[in-house]
Structures are given as structure tokens and as C-alpha cells.
Amino acid sequence: MKLTLALIPLTLATSVCCGGTPTGTAGESGAIPASEAGGAGESDAGAEVAWLTERAVDAGLDFTHTNGMSGRYYFPELIPAGAGLLDYDNDGDLDVYLVQGRMLGDGSVRNGGMPAANAAASEPGGRLFRNDLRVEADGTRSVRFSDVTERSGIDAPGYGMGVAAADVTNDGCTDLYLTNLGPNQLFRNNCDGTFTDVSESSGAVGGGWSVSAAFVDYDRDGWLDLYVGNYVQYSIETDRPCTGLAGRRDYCTPEVYAPQADRLYRNRGDGRFTDETATALSGAAFGPALGVSTADFDGDGWLDIYVANDVHANLLWMNRGDGTFRDGGLLSGAALSGDGVAEASMGVDAGDFDNDGDFDLFMTHLPNEGNNLYENDGAAFFEDVSIRTGLGPASHGRTGFGAAWFDFDNDGWLDLLAVNGAIEAIDGRGDHPFPYDETNLLFRNLRNGRFEDVTDSAGAALRLSEISRGAAFGDIDNDGDTDVVVSNNTGRARLFVNEVGDRNHWLGLRLTGRDAQRDMLGARVAVLRGGEAIWRHVRTDGSYASAHDPRVLIGLGRSAQAPLVRVLWPSGRVEEWHDLPIDGYTTLAEGTGTVP
């Protein structure tokens, strides 16, 4: 790709122009047909152009996950692991954190366990990779990662599950929260390229088995609080032997163990958190939580929390605005499937797929269930439209984990990527030591309430069959389209680079606070053109055990018209900006816009 930007850090009122030059005329939708943009068609030069290309090793993102499988079928071996995108060094590009596992129990091996082959390629503990993005004089852009774990001070030797990232101290530097089988860890960013482990002093260590976590300012006091989704009450000492349908030793299901209660921690503003679970989430029927996503689902200005539970009813914590929540899941229609069944929900994400101004929910499930889409009516009442949209039937036969709404072709409508990996051994995999691999799924939004499975058109990257779990979404190369980092259980991490999004116009925004220059998670953004609006929100949560780019990227299609941007800040303030430059990133600070 050819670009025209010299890379600079994002600063207040700074526009960063880094897009290509799309073709077409104003007013066209800008959707990329298969004949233009992928494995099903040819480029002008006659060569195949993939929509997503896999470049992890070429970019220096050389990482292999180990789950420590020993042949003892410890239940946690199935679940890892997540991935995180964050700009930890504030240089304007996204860095990557990858979660690692280790051997469980006493380290002994039985029944064909292969820890040596599984672990030899990986360093112990999770790894932090710094993005050294370069832009040449001719605009050519290249991403190169360096492993900076040791010099960063991050020491995460536990059995890792997931990652959450946000600025919890309001100092302008992104901190890191790691979930584990065992105590969780919070690393404070020292703003000099290093981190300090403040887990014990923070009061947010927790314990047991945590998977996904989300930072959210639920009380609107300007400090980011923390919701931690916990799975089941499990320990190696209480591990139970389970068998599959054939009577052979196999991994247990979550029904074998009691759910572990989630935790809600309130940020005190002094580097410490207090556990408010008992008072803020009273009367909860917690389930085994795997995914967490936050948004203002009823449009009342207070952020709500959705929790995807495994084979239990999902939770929808509706914010009362007084420091407490009520579980509106069953009443809202988003706790069970349209058939009234509790399904095995894994990954989840909130986004406005139909551009009607409210946030809908997508979540991944087991092969016989199919993935679900719950359409929001604007008042946090949901309808299961999985069949009508085509998403449910098209996902049968795969076990979904990480997933997120993202506009991969920048036509202004949110598409979906779901990454997959089985939890039951797949027959016919021969001598594969961990036979749970599946291919992933890409769905294009047809802008009529339906989705099309375009996986086969996307290129060779999505034909990889792996045990995918976490998926982190963000603009890795700052070229104006969304890329994806995928973490694979017992496999290499993948970097899917988007090759087609910058064919359309786009608008990139970073939204920061009035008093603290941190990303304002929960802010809602409306891009208004010709009486139509595209709604997005600032978040790093969602997917499965992963953290995303906090910047907002809005596809504008073929139209080069500068839009009106309206921001609804978490504080309740509403501001507008006119004539923002397109095809670049601009930082908007609360208090610098026009009050409508």
C-alpha cells in the first residue's frame, strides 16, 4: 500500500493523514465486491489480492502459545488465550501483548502428552511486543515488532487467560490487567516504557479462574472501574476425571463445576480499587463468564455491562445511575436464545450493525447452536435475529470464541469476524497432538439486515485451520483500516493485515478527556452526513479475553464529503466538530468542541 504520511504521535487538535486515494464518486456506498477485493477475483494487474493477509512472523510477531497439555486433561487447557492491543509507549502506533500458559499440576506427563513440543518454541510468561512502525519517503508502510518484555518489567509467569488495557491512573499512559487461573495481575505504566506490578496494592487481584475483564467508568466519576468475568470454581486439587461419549478420558464441561462469581471493582482514584460486588451487583445469579462487553444499551447516558456465560443464562447489568445495577437479562430477551435456551456463549461484542443509533449484541457459540445476533430496539429490549440475518445458520459446525464488529471494507456498515476452535476433539486429525483446530469466519454486512459469509473470498489467511481463541482488533499500520491479532491455543499468534479497507474514505478519531488525557471509554460518536448517522463507541473490551484499539474508525465509503461529528461524552456533555479532515486520525479532547 502507498501512503502519504510521515508518522507522528497523535496530539490535541492534530490531524494525521494516512489514507490511500480511493476511487469512485461521492454518494457511492463503497462496498468492495468480490471481483475487486479478494480471493474470488483479480486485481487490475491480474494477480489475486487477498482481503486479509497473514504477516505475524514477517512482522516480528513470533510467538507460540503453550497450554501445558500433559495428557491429564486438565480443564483449563481448553480455554486460553487472549491478546491485547495497546499503545503502551504513546508513540502513535499499537503494540501487542500476548498471553502465555505453562505446565499445570506437578509437570508430569501421561497418555501421550507432548509438553516439550508444545512449549519449546515459547518463552515463559506473557510477552509484550513493541510496534516499530515505519513509513518510507514514498509512503510505503511497514510494521516491525520487537519483543520488549524484559525491559518493560512485565513478569507474568502464571497460567494466563486474558488481557484488558486502559489508563486507570489518568496519567495518559495505558495500564495492563492480566487475568489468570489463579491471582490476576495489574501492571501500572510508568510512562517511560516500563511497568510496575501493583497487583497486591491495587486490591484487584481476585483469585480463582478469571477469563475476560473490562474497564468501564460505571459511576461517571472520571476514573475507570473494572469488571472481571470469572469462570468456574476450579483448582488442580479438585480436578475431576471426565469421559467423552466413547467412554475415553476427555475434558470436562463447565456443568461439572460450580460457577465462580464475577467481581466489580471501583477505582478510588488513588491507585487502589474497592470490591463493590456485594452492593452494586446484589441478587446476581452468576454463571461461568467467558466474555464481557460494555455499552449504553438503553441510551440513558450510563454504561451497562453484558456478560456472556457458558451454558448459563447471560447477564445484562443495567446501570441505575446510583452506583448499582439490576440484571435485566431475562426481561430484555438477551439472556437466552430465541428458543428460550441457555447456550454456551463464549465471545461477545456490542455494536450498531443496522446504523439505527443503538448497540446490538453478537456472541459466539457451539457448533450445534450457531452464533447469535440480538437486535436492540433502543430501550435495551432485544430480539434474537440470528436466523433472519443468516448469521446463525452460517456458523453451524464451528465453535466460536473471539469475535468483534468491524467495518473491514470501510463502507460505513459493521461486518463480523469470528475466530473458531473446537472444545471436543475432531475425528480424522490423525496424529495431531491437540485435534481441535477449525477455520475462521468472515461475514459482510449486506446493509439490508442480512449478512453474507465471504470467508472464501478473503484469501488464504482465513483458510488456516487452528485452535483460535482471542481476537484483538485495531489499525496496526495506521493506514485507516482494521487489522486483527489472533491468539491460538497451542499455536502461533497470527496478524491478519487488512488490504482493502483503505480503498474507501475513512475518519479516525481518538477521544480524550478534559482533565485527563486518557481514552474516554464509553464515549459515543455519531458521524452525520446527508441526514444519515453512523454510530460507534470508544471501547477496548469485547471479543474473548482480549483488548482492542481504543480509537474509533468510521468507514465513509466513496464519499469524500467531510462529515459532522457529534460526541456524547461519558460525563453527559455533548459536543460537535465540523469539517474534520478525512482519511486520517484526529484527536478530539472533551471541552474543545462546539456545544450544539
Side-chain angles (χ1 to χ4, degrees), residues 70-333:
S70 62
R72 293 174 179 265
Y73 292 93
Y74 290 129
F75 187 22
E77 294 170 4
L78 275 179
I79 305 302
L85 294 176
L86 68 157
D87 182 7
Y88 86 95
D89 51 1
N90 282 340
D91 66 349
D93 54 47
L94 292 171
D95 312 297
V96 176
Y97 184 87
L98 292 169
V99 175
Q100 186 58 286
R102 59 175 175 78
M103 290 294 293
L104 291 172
D106 60 10
S108 62
V109 179
R110 65 167 63 164
N111 298 335
M114 299 178 65
N118 186 223
S122 299
E123 296 289 336
R127 312 301 296 176
L128 177 66
F129 292 86
R130 186 186 67 226
N131 186 351
D132 300 312
L133 179 63
R134 296 187 59 182
V135 180
E136 306 298 337
D138 64 354
T140 302
R141 185 171 297 269
S142 61
V143 174
R144 186 69 187 174
F145 289 98
S146 302
D147 188 333
V148 295
T149 310
E150 277 72 30
R151 75 183 72 170
S152 75
I154 294 175
D155 183 17
Y159 196 86
M161 288 289 156
V163 53
D167 179 7
V168 301
T169 56
N170 285 356
D171 62 358
C173 302
T174 302
D175 309 298
L176 200 61
Y177 187 79
L178 305 179
T179 60
N180 296 301
L181 175 65
N184 301 324
Q185 292 180 281
L186 176 63
F187 289 93
R188 185 190 68 221
N189 193 327
N190 299 319
C191 299
D192 61 0
T194 68
F195 291 80
T196 298
D197 188 340
V198 294
S199 306
E200 292 296 334
S201 62
S202 72
V205 172
W209 186 354
S210 304
V211 179
S212 290
F215 286 106
V216 52
D217 183 9
Y218 76 89
D219 52 3
R220 287 182 23 176
D221 66 350
W223 298 88
L224 290 174
D225 312 300
L226 177 64
Y227 189 99
V228 179
N230 292 322
Y231 195 44
V232 296
Q233 299 178 35
Y234 175 91
S235 68
I236 297 298
E237 293 72 27
T238 60
D239 181 78
R240 301 180 186 180
C242 295
T243 57
L245 294 177
R248 295 191 299 267
R249 182 76 162 91
D250 204 346
Y251 289 102
C252 292
T253 63
E255 293 99 327
V256 173
Y257 301 94
Q260 181 185 347
D262 300 343
R263 314 309 298 177
L264 179 64
Y265 298 101
R266 183 177 62 82
N267 190 336
R268 296 171 33 158
D270 60 359
R272 292 178 293 173
F273 291 80
T274 58
D275 188 339
E276 301 290 338
T277 309
T279 55
L281 307 178
S282 60
F286 292 108
L290 287 177
V292 180
S293 187
T294 65
D296 181 6
F297 291 109
D298 58 358
D300 66 351
W302 295 86
L303 288 169
D304 311 303
I305 303 170
Y306 187 85
V307 182
N309 287 325
D310 195 356
V311 298
H312 283 62
N314 297 328
L315 301 173
L316 177 58
W317 292 114
M318 299 303 300
N319 197 328
R320 292 189 175 106
D322 60 359
T324 68
F325 294 79
R326 62 173 177 85
D327 178 17
L330 287 173
L331 180 63
S332 72

Side-chain angles (χ1 to χ4, degrees), residues 330-353:
L330 287 173
L331 180 63
S332 72
L336 307 172
S337 72
D339 297 327
V341 176
E343 297 182 310
S345 303
M346 269 80 84
V348 61
D349 198 31
D352 183 12
F353 85 94

